[in-house]
Amino acid sequence: MATVKVYDQNKQESGEMTLASDVFEIEVRPEILNLVVRAQMAAKRAGTHNAKTRAFVSGGGAKPWKQKGTGRARSGSNRSPIWRGGAIIFGPSPRDYGFKVNSKVRALALKMALSSRLAGESLLVVKGIELPEAKTKHFAKVAGALGLGKALIVTPEDNEALSRSARNIPGLTLTTPDRLSVLDVLKHKQLVLLEGAVESVQARFAKKGA
């Protein structure tokens, strides 16, 4: 099991914490991370693109000119795909881009993402964050003391005061253990776990048996 230092919001050392090896010390397999990240990004796609085929383009009921005798090429509709204003051939249609990834694979990928942050010394455990009031300047002061740039901060539960204070600071994202995702962990260079969130993160995997 890995032992990490616990800091206060001024980055003064205030103790130590032992992290579960089956959550934070997993061998990282890039192909697993890639699969889960692609699935999460695909699920976010709206898939509402659409183009009209001949069946859906209005007009074109009458034959533009007679079949023979005009010297022109034969034509049966002015909504033909080769006409301006006509239909679209093989155009996009609404679809769902999502694909299934087994829950155990998703859990494994998240543990790998957490392990990668610990192995890369980009994981910081903070005892807690207390602000005198929900103001951006107060949170910015804490972020500066902790040396945070593009960081994902995991709080034990929803905290409206912290969320309101951090939402205008570029690069900082707040989340909770139940909403923690592989994509969020990997797209932030730093991972900050509040002390109360560590147990929740570890318990999330213990429930799944993964």
Side-chain angles (χ1 to χ4, degrees), residues 92-156:
S93 58
R95 57 167 290 191
D96 179 10
Y97 283 92
F99 57 92
K100 180 182 177 182
V101 176
N102 291 338
S103 60
K104 287 188 176 181
V105 176
R106 294 198 305 269
L108 178 60
L110 184 50
K111 290 190 287 188
M112 288 179 179
L114 295 173
S115 299
S116 71
R117 289 294 172 260
L118 178 61
E121 299 182 351
S122 300
L123 188 149
L124 185 67
V125 178
V126 178
K127 190 174 184 65
I129 297 177
E130 298 290 337
L131 303 178
E133 56 181 330
K135 293 284 188 179
T136 301
K137 63 180 180 180
H138 297 310
F139 201 101
K141 185 177 180 180
V142 173
L146 294 174
L148 302 184
K150 190 171 185 180
L152 177 66
I153 303 172
V154 185
T155 60

Side-chain angles (χ1 to χ4, degrees), residues 165-195:
S165 302
R167 66 188 177 187
N168 290 328
I169 302 178
L172 294 187
T173 303
L174 264 68
T175 189
T176 54
D178 57 316
R179 293 200 296 265
L180 192 61
S181 73
V182 176
L183 183 59
D184 285 337
V185 174
L186 295 182
K187 76 179 183 179
H188 292 85
K189 294 182 179 179
Q190 298 166 295
L191 176 63
V192 180
L193 297 173
L194 298 193
E195 191 174 26

Side-chain angles (χ1 to χ4, degrees), residues 9-27:
Q9 64 186 44
N10 297 314
K11 210 173 183 181
Q12 299 298 315
E13 194 173 329
S14 63
E16 292 184 342
M17 173 175 282
T18 301
L19 302 178
S21 59
D22 60 343
V23 176
F24 290 93
E25 292 182 297
I26 299 294
E27 180 185 357

